[in-house]
Amino acid sequence: MSARSVSSVIAVVAAVAVVAGCTSTASGGKKGAGGLELVSSGTLKTCTHLPYAPFQVKKNGKIVGFDVDLVDLVAKNLGIKQEIVNTPFEGIETGQDFTIHKCDLAAAGMTITPERDKVMDFSDPYFNATQALLTKKGKPYKKVEDLQGKKLGYQKATTGGIYAKNHGKGVELVEFEDLGLLLTAVKSGQVDAGINDNGVLFDYVKQNPDTAVTAEFNTGEHYGIGVRTGNDALRKKIDEVIKKAKSDGTYDRIYKKWFGTTPQS
């Protein structure tokens, strides 16, 4: 066999070895955890946007919350650990973070909408929400329209922002990058009110009694955990784990841990 032939054989064998040793898929993921497609084998990467208490928030140097505990159940079922990636919310809701393989799933207190459903696939709904209004305590605002000539804050790329724009004629709308900045703006008087999901606003009021939730709007929203479009195996696993958690009482225990009550049926 000529030296050239030997080199060719070595090259072919090396190529086969690389293919055999690498579990990368055509879409850029890696097989692992029972054959599911993951960005990094052995880790379940979760995109979220902090802070969004009580769904995800950093406390004592660790990211914790309702969504975190639910995804931990999925990771435990797969025999791996969850790794949380804090990233701007617009990258999550536009599906960009899945396109660039930043994460396997997105758990960010995220409402399922037709627009978002076009750029990712969602789990079954796991939490019911609606929009609400936060003000300094004692303020009379009961609806967005009451704020004509006043300032209403909203979080960028959220359904609260959409609601504010649809109902805020004559209202000065102020956009904030994240929930923390929005809440601070209401508390400090930078804006007269803020709009966001009821769960996070009621959680904030518990720790800030000088603020109040003065209204809830019947927007009938449902949160879902997002995955890359077509990643059906992971989506089905999420549904399976959460369904079991709801049937065996685990979901109710996690819910009570973060909200102080069990979910309404």
Side-chain angles (χ1 to χ4, degrees):
M1 183 179 290
S2 68
R4 182 176 180 181
S5 297
V6 171
S7 298
S8 299
V9 170
I10 291 173
V12 170
V13 171
V16 171
V18 169
V19 172
C22 179
T23 55
S24 294
T25 67
S27 59
K30 296 180 179 179
K31 291 292 183 181
L36 295 184
E37 184 183 315
L38 302 174
V39 171
S40 300
S41 59
T43 303
L44 187 63
K45 289 192 175 183
T46 300
C47 275
T48 195
H49 182 55
L50 301 174
Y52 208 70
F55 296 92
Q56 48 273 325
V57 65
K58 182 173 273 190
K59 289 186 177 180
N60 301 319
K62 184 179 179 181
I63 299 173
V64 297
F66 179 76
D67 283 357
V68 177
D69 283 357
L70 286 184
V71 177
D72 272 344
L73 295 179
V74 179
K76 182 179 179 180
N77 182 275
L78 295 173
I80 58 180
K81 294 289 187 179
Q82 176 182 189
E83 178 184 330
I84 298 176
V85 181
N86 183 27
T87 186
F89 187 67
E90 55 266 38
I92 297 174
E93 70 122 18
T94 59
Q96 178 65 22
D97 286 343
F98 294 121
T99 301
I100 63 176
H101 305 289
K102 183 179 284 189
C103 51
D104 301 299
L105 60 85
M110 181 165 54
T111 298
I112 300 170
T113 67
E115 293 74 22
R116 292 170 182 169
D117 201 32
K118 292 176 182 177
V119 295
M120 70 185 82
D121 288 340
F122 280 101
S123 69
D124 291 337
Y126 70 92
F127 190 89
N128 298 330
T130 191
Q131 292 304 307
L133 203 63
L134 178 77
T135 71
K136 293 280 285 182
K137 196 166 187 178
K139 296 296 182 181
Y141 312 121
K142 300 294 183 183
K143 54 185 183 293
V144 172
E145 291 82 355
D146 289 342
L147 287 154
Q148 289 192 16
K150 304 291 184 180
K151 292 182 179 180
L152 173 64
Y154 68 90
Q155 183 182 347
K156 185 177 182 180
T158 61
T159 49
I162 294 172
Y163 189 92
K165 291 170 186 176
N166 288 339
H167 295 81
K169 185 177 181 180
V171 178
E172 183 179 347
L173 301 180
V174 183
E175 182 178 272
F176 293 92
E177 183 67 29
D178 61 47
L179 177 67
L181 294 174
L182 170 61
L183 297 176
T184 299
V186 175
K187 188 176 175 68
S188 66
Q190 182 182 344
V191 295
D192 298 283
I195 188 169
N196 210 293
D197 295 359
N198 57 345
V200 294
L201 297 189
F202 278 117
D203 183 76
Y204 182 74
V205 167
K206 289 178 186 176
Q207 307 300 324
N208 295 271
D210 57 334
T211 63
V213 174
T214 57
E216 291 181 82
F217 312 120
N218 187 22
T219 53
E221 298 177 42
H222 307 284
Y223 290 171
I225 294 175
V227 302
R228 179 186 54 77
T229 299
N231 197 353
D232 292 338
L234 180 55
R235 178 182 56 78
K236 289 176 181 177
K237 174 58 68 175
I238 294 167
D239 286 343
E240 171 192 316
V241 170
I242 293 180
K243 182 178 181 180
K244 182 177 184 298
K246 287 186 174 181
S247 67
D248 67 15
T250 303
Y251 179 93
D252 284 1
R253 287 194 294 274
I254 294 173
Y255 193 104
K256 188 170 184 177
K257 171 184 174 182
W258 293 105
F259 296 98
T261 184
T262 53
Q264 296 180 350
S265 57

Short mmCIF file of all heavy atoms in Angstrom, two decimals, residues 170-209:
data_model
loop_
_atom_site.label_atom_id
_atom_site.label_comp_id
_atom_site.label_asym_id
_atom_site.label_seq_id
_atom_site.Cartn_x
_atom_site.Cartn_y
_atom_site.Cartn_z
N GLY A 170 -53.62 58.66 25.02
CA GLY A 170 -53.49 59.83 25.88
C GLY A 170 -52.62 59.58 27.10
O GLY A 170 -52.48 60.46 27.95
N VAL A 171 -52.04 58.37 27.18
CA VAL A 171 -51.17 58.03 28.31
C VAL A 171 -49.72 58.05 27.82
O VAL A 171 -49.41 57.59 26.73
CB VAL A 171 -51.52 56.62 28.86
CG1 VAL A 171 -50.58 56.24 29.99
CG2 VAL A 171 -52.98 56.57 29.31
N GLU A 172 -48.83 58.58 28.62
CA GLU A 172 -47.41 58.57 28.27
C GLU A 172 -46.80 57.23 28.67
O GLU A 172 -46.70 56.91 29.85
CB GLU A 172 -46.67 59.71 28.98
CG GLU A 172 -45.19 59.79 28.58
CD GLU A 172 -44.44 60.92 29.25
OE1 GLU A 172 -45.10 61.81 29.84
OE2 GLU A 172 -43.19 60.91 29.19
N LEU A 173 -46.42 56.45 27.69
CA LEU A 173 -45.89 55.11 27.95
C LEU A 173 -44.37 55.16 28.07
O LEU A 173 -43.69 55.80 27.26
CB LEU A 173 -46.29 54.15 26.83
CG LEU A 173 -47.80 53.97 26.62
CD1 LEU A 173 -48.07 52.99 25.48
CD2 LEU A 173 -48.48 53.49 27.91
N VAL A 174 -43.86 54.48 29.09
CA VAL A 174 -42.42 54.46 29.34
C VAL A 174 -41.95 53.01 29.37
O VAL A 174 -42.47 52.19 30.14
CB VAL A 174 -42.07 55.14 30.69
CG1 VAL A 174 -40.56 55.16 30.88
CG2 VAL A 174 -42.66 56.55 30.75
N GLU A 175 -41.00 52.67 28.51
CA GLU A 175 -40.53 51.29 28.39
C GLU A 175 -39.32 51.04 29.29
O GLU A 175 -38.42 51.88 29.38
CB GLU A 175 -40.16 50.99 26.94
CG GLU A 175 -39.69 49.57 26.68
CD GLU A 175 -39.40 49.33 25.21
OE1 GLU A 175 -40.33 48.96 24.48
OE2 GLU A 175 -38.23 49.51 24.81
N PHE A 176 -39.30 49.86 29.92
CA PHE A 176 -38.18 49.46 30.77
C PHE A 176 -37.64 48.11 30.29
O PHE A 176 -38.40 47.25 29.84
CB PHE A 176 -38.60 49.38 32.23
CG PHE A 176 -38.96 50.72 32.82
CD1 PHE A 176 -40.28 51.18 32.79
CD2 PHE A 176 -37.98 51.54 33.36
CE1 PHE A 176 -40.62 52.42 33.30
CE2 PHE A 176 -38.31 52.79 33.89
CZ PHE A 176 -39.62 53.23 33.85
N GLU A 177 -36.33 47.95 30.44
CA GLU A 177 -35.67 46.74 29.95
C GLU A 177 -36.06 45.50 30.73
O GLU A 177 -36.16 44.41 30.17
CB GLU A 177 -34.15 46.92 30.00
CG GLU A 177 -33.35 45.75 29.45
CD GLU A 177 -33.53 45.56 27.96
OE1 GLU A 177 -33.78 46.56 27.25
OE2 GLU A 177 -33.41 44.41 27.50
N ASP A 178 -36.28 45.65 32.02
CA ASP A 178 -36.64 44.48 32.83
C ASP A 178 -37.62 44.86 33.93
O ASP A 178 -37.91 46.03 34.17
CB ASP A 178 -35.39 43.79 33.40
CG ASP A 178 -34.57 44.69 34.32
OD1 ASP A 178 -35.16 45.35 35.20
OD2 ASP A 178 -33.34 44.73 34.17
N LEU A 179 -38.14 43.83 34.59
CA LEU A 179 -39.15 44.03 35.62
C LEU A 179 -38.60 44.83 36.79
O LEU A 179 -39.30 45.69 37.35
CB LEU A 179 -39.67 42.68 36.11
CG LEU A 179 -40.68 42.73 37.26
CD1 LEU A 179 -41.99 43.36 36.80
CD2 LEU A 179 -40.91 41.34 37.84
N GLY A 180 -37.36 44.56 37.19
CA GLY A 180 -36.78 45.26 38.33
C GLY A 180 -36.78 46.77 38.14
O GLY A 180 -37.11 47.53 39.05
N LEU A 181 -36.39 47.21 36.96
CA LEU A 181 -36.38 48.65 36.67
C LEU A 181 -37.79 49.23 36.68
O LEU A 181 -38.01 50.35 37.16
CB LEU A 181 -35.72 48.90 35.32
CG LEU A 181 -34.23 48.56 35.22
CD1 LEU A 181 -33.75 48.70 33.78
CD2 LEU A 181 -33.42 49.44 36.16
N LEU A 182 -38.75 48.47 36.17
CA LEU A 182 -40.14 48.92 36.16
C LEU A 182 -40.67 49.09 37.58
O LEU A 182 -41.28 50.11 37.91
CB LEU A 182 -41.00 47.90 35.39
CG LEU A 182 -42.52 48.08 35.47
CD1 LEU A 182 -42.94 49.42 34.89
CD2 LEU A 182 -43.23 46.93 34.76
N LEU A 183 -40.44 48.10 38.42
CA LEU A 183 -40.94 48.17 39.80
C LEU A 183 -40.32 49.33 40.56
O LEU A 183 -41.01 50.04 41.31
CB LEU A 183 -40.65 46.85 40.51
CG LEU A 183 -41.33 45.61 39.93
CD1 LEU A 183 -40.87 44.36 40.66
CD2 LEU A 183 -42.85 45.73 39.97
N THR A 184 -39.03 49.52 40.37
CA THR A 184 -38.34 50.64 41.03
C THR A 184 -38.91 51.98 40.57
O THR A 184 -39.05 52.92 41.37
CB THR A 184 -36.83 50.58 40.73
OG1 THR A 184 -36.30 49.36 41.24
CG2 THR A 184 -36.11 51.76 41.36
N ALA A 185 -39.26 52.07 39.29
CA ALA A 185 -39.81 53.31 38.75
C ALA A 185 -41.16 53.65 39.38
O ALA A 185 -41.46 54.81 39.66
CB ALA A 185 -39.94 53.21 37.24
N VAL A 186 -41.98 52.62 39.62
CA VAL A 186 -43.27 52.86 40.27
C VAL A 186 -43.04 53.29 41.72
O VAL A 186 -43.63 54.27 42.20
CB VAL A 186 -44.15 51.60 40.22
CG1 VAL A 186 -45.44 51.82 41.03
CG2 VAL A 186 -44.49 51.23 38.79
N LYS A 187 -42.20 52.58 42.42
CA LYS A 187 -41.95 52.85 43.85
C LYS A 187 -41.35 54.23 44.07
O LYS A 187 -41.68 54.92 45.04
CB LYS A 187 -41.03 51.77 44.42
CG LYS A 187 -40.85 51.83 45.92
CD LYS A 187 -40.00 50.67 46.41
CE LYS A 187 -39.71 50.76 47.90
NZ LYS A 187 -40.93 50.57 48.73
N SER A 188 -40.49 54.66 43.14
CA SER A 188 -39.81 55.95 43.29
C SER A 188 -40.62 57.12 42.74
O SER A 188 -40.25 58.28 42.93
CB SER A 188 -38.45 55.90 42.57
OG SER A 188 -38.64 55.79 41.17
N GLY A 189 -41.74 56.81 42.04
CA GLY A 189 -42.55 57.87 41.48
C GLY A 189 -42.11 58.33 40.10
O GLY A 189 -42.63 59.31 39.57
N GLN A 190 -41.15 57.62 39.51
CA GLN A 190 -40.70 57.96 38.16
C GLN A 190 -41.85 57.80 37.17
O GLN A 190 -41.96 58.54 36.19
CB GLN A 190 -39.52 57.08 37.76
CG GLN A 190 -38.95 57.39 36.37
CD GLN A 190 -37.81 56.45 36.00
OE1 GLN A 190 -37.25 55.77 36.87
NE2 GLN A 190 -37.48 56.39 34.73
N VAL A 191 -42.71 56.80 37.41
CA VAL A 191 -43.94 56.64 36.63
C VAL A 191 -45.10 56.55 37.61
O VAL A 191 -44.91 56.25 38.79
CB VAL A 191 -43.90 55.37 35.74
CG1 VAL A 191 -42.83 55.49 34.66
CG2 VAL A 191 -43.71 54.11 36.57
N ASP A 192 -46.29 56.84 37.14
CA ASP A 192 -47.47 56.83 38.01
C ASP A 192 -48.00 55.43 38.26
O ASP A 192 -48.67 55.18 39.26
CB ASP A 192 -48.57 57.71 37.39
CG ASP A 192 -48.12 59.16 37.27
OD1 ASP A 192 -48.11 59.86 38.29
OD2 ASP A 192 -47.75 59.58 36.14
N ALA A 193 -47.74 54.52 37.32
CA ALA A 193 -48.21 53.14 37.45
C ALA A 193 -47.36 52.26 36.55
O ALA A 193 -46.66 52.74 35.66
CB ALA A 193 -49.68 53.03 37.08
N GLY A 194 -47.43 50.96 36.81
CA GLY A 194 -46.74 49.99 35.98
C GLY A 194 -47.67 48.85 35.65
O GLY A 194 -48.52 48.48 36.48
N ILE A 195 -47.53 48.27 34.47
CA ILE A 195 -48.35 47.14 34.08
C ILE A 195 -47.46 45.92 33.85
O ILE A 195 -46.39 46.02 33.27
CB ILE A 195 -49.18 47.45 32.81
CG1 ILE A 195 -50.18 46.32 32.54
CG2 ILE A 195 -48.30 47.74 31.61
CD1 ILE A 195 -51.21 46.66 31.46
N ASN A 196 -47.92 44.79 34.39
CA ASN A 196 -47.20 43.53 34.20
C ASN A 196 -48.12 42.40 34.65
O ASN A 196 -49.25 42.64 35.05
CB ASN A 196 -45.87 43.52 34.96
CG ASN A 196 -44.82 42.66 34.26
OD1 ASN A 196 -44.96 41.44 34.18
ND2 ASN A 196 -43.77 43.30 33.75
N ASP A 197 -47.61 41.18 34.62
CA ASP A 197 -48.41 40.03 35.02
C ASP A 197 -48.75 40.09 36.51
O ASP A 197 -47.93 40.52 37.33
CB ASP A 197 -47.67 38.73 34.72
CG ASP A 197 -47.46 38.53 33.22
OD1 ASP A 197 -47.90 39.38 32.43
OD2 ASP A 197 -46.86 37.51 32.85
N ASN A 198 -49.94 39.63 36.84
CA ASN A 198 -50.43 39.77 38.22
C ASN A 198 -49.57 39.02 39.23
O ASN A 198 -49.36 39.50 40.35
CB ASN A 198 -51.89 39.33 38.32
CG ASN A 198 -52.14 37.91 37.84
OD1 ASN A 198 -51.30 37.29 37.17
ND2 ASN A 198 -53.30 37.38 38.16
N GLY A 199 -49.04 37.85 38.87
CA GLY A 199 -48.26 37.07 39.82
C GLY A 199 -47.05 37.80 40.35
O GLY A 199 -46.79 37.80 41.56
N VAL A 200 -46.30 38.44 39.47
CA VAL A 200 -45.09 39.14 39.91
C VAL A 200 -45.43 40.43 40.67
O VAL A 200 -44.72 40.82 41.60
CB VAL A 200 -44.15 39.45 38.72
CG1 VAL A 200 -43.60 38.17 38.13
CG2 VAL A 200 -44.84 40.28 37.66
N LEU A 201 -46.53 41.09 40.30
CA LEU A 201 -46.90 42.32 40.99
C LEU A 201 -47.40 42.05 42.40
O LEU A 201 -47.06 42.76 43.35
CB LEU A 201 -47.95 43.09 40.18
CG LEU A 201 -47.50 43.58 38.80
CD1 LEU A 201 -48.55 44.51 38.20
CD2 LEU A 201 -46.14 44.29 38.86
N PHE A 202 -48.21 41.00 42.56
CA PHE A 202 -48.67 40.66 43.91
C PHE A 202 -47.51 40.22 44.79
O PHE A 202 -47.48 40.49 46.00
CB PHE A 202 -49.74 39.57 43.85
CG PHE A 202 -51.12 40.09 43.54
CD1 PHE A 202 -51.78 39.71 42.38
CD2 PHE A 202 -51.76 40.96 44.41
CE1 PHE A 202 -53.05 40.19 42.09
CE2 PHE A 202 -53.03 41.45 44.14
CZ PHE A 202 -53.68 41.06 42.97
N ASP A 203 -46.53 39.55 44.21
CA ASP A 203 -45.35 39.15 44.96
C ASP A 203 -44.57 40.38 45.43
O ASP A 203 -44.09 40.43 46.57
CB ASP A 203 -44.45 38.27 44.09
CG ASP A 203 -43.22 37.76 44.82
OD1 ASP A 203 -43.36 36.82 45.64
OD2 ASP A 203 -42.12 38.30 44.59
N TYR A 204 -44.47 41.39 44.58
CA TYR A 204 -43.75 42.61 44.92
C TYR A 204 -44.44 43.37 46.05
O TYR A 204 -43.79 43.88 46.98
CB TYR A 204 -43.64 43.50 43.69
CG TYR A 204 -42.85 44.77 43.91
CD1 TYR A 204 -41.47 44.76 44.02
CD2 TYR A 204 -43.50 46.01 44.01
CE1 TYR A 204 -40.74 45.92 44.23
CE2 TYR A 204 -42.78 47.19 44.20
CZ TYR A 204 -41.40 47.13 44.31
OH TYR A 204 -40.70 48.29 44.51
N VAL A 205 -45.77 43.44 45.99
CA VAL A 205 -46.53 44.18 46.99
C VAL A 205 -46.35 43.58 48.39
O VAL A 205 -46.35 44.30 49.40
CB VAL A 205 -48.02 44.22 46.60
CG1 VAL A 205 -48.90 44.70 47.75
CG2 VAL A 205 -48.22 45.12 45.39
N LYS A 206 -46.16 42.26 48.47
CA LYS A 206 -45.95 41.62 49.77
C LYS A 206 -44.75 42.22 50.50
O LYS A 206 -44.77 42.38 51.72
CB LYS A 206 -45.70 40.11 49.57
CG LYS A 206 -46.91 39.31 49.14
CD LYS A 206 -46.49 37.86 48.93
CE LYS A 206 -47.62 37.02 48.35
NZ LYS A 206 -47.18 35.63 48.08
N GLN A 207 -43.71 42.53 49.74
CA GLN A 207 -42.48 43.06 50.33
C GLN A 207 -42.43 44.59 50.31
O GLN A 207 -41.53 45.19 50.90
CB GLN A 207 -41.27 42.50 49.57
CG GLN A 207 -41.24 41.00 49.44
CD GLN A 207 -41.22 40.29 50.78
OE1 GLN A 207 -40.60 40.77 51.73
NE2 GLN A 207 -41.90 39.16 50.87
N ASN A 208 -43.39 45.20 49.62
CA ASN A 208 -43.40 46.66 49.48
C ASN A 208 -44.80 47.19 49.75
O ASN A 208 -45.54 47.53 48.82
CB ASN A 208 -42.92 47.05 48.08
CG ASN A 208 -41.48 46.68 47.82
OD1 ASN A 208 -40.56 47.43 48.09
ND2 ASN A 208 -41.29 45.46 47.29
N PRO A 209 -45.20 47.28 51.01
CA PRO A 209 -46.56 47.66 51.37
C PRO A 209 -46.94 49.09 51.02
O PRO A 209 -48.11 49.46 51.14
CB PRO A 209 -46.60 47.43 52.89
CG PRO A 209 -45.17 47.50 53.33
CD PRO A 209 -44.39 46.95 52.20
#
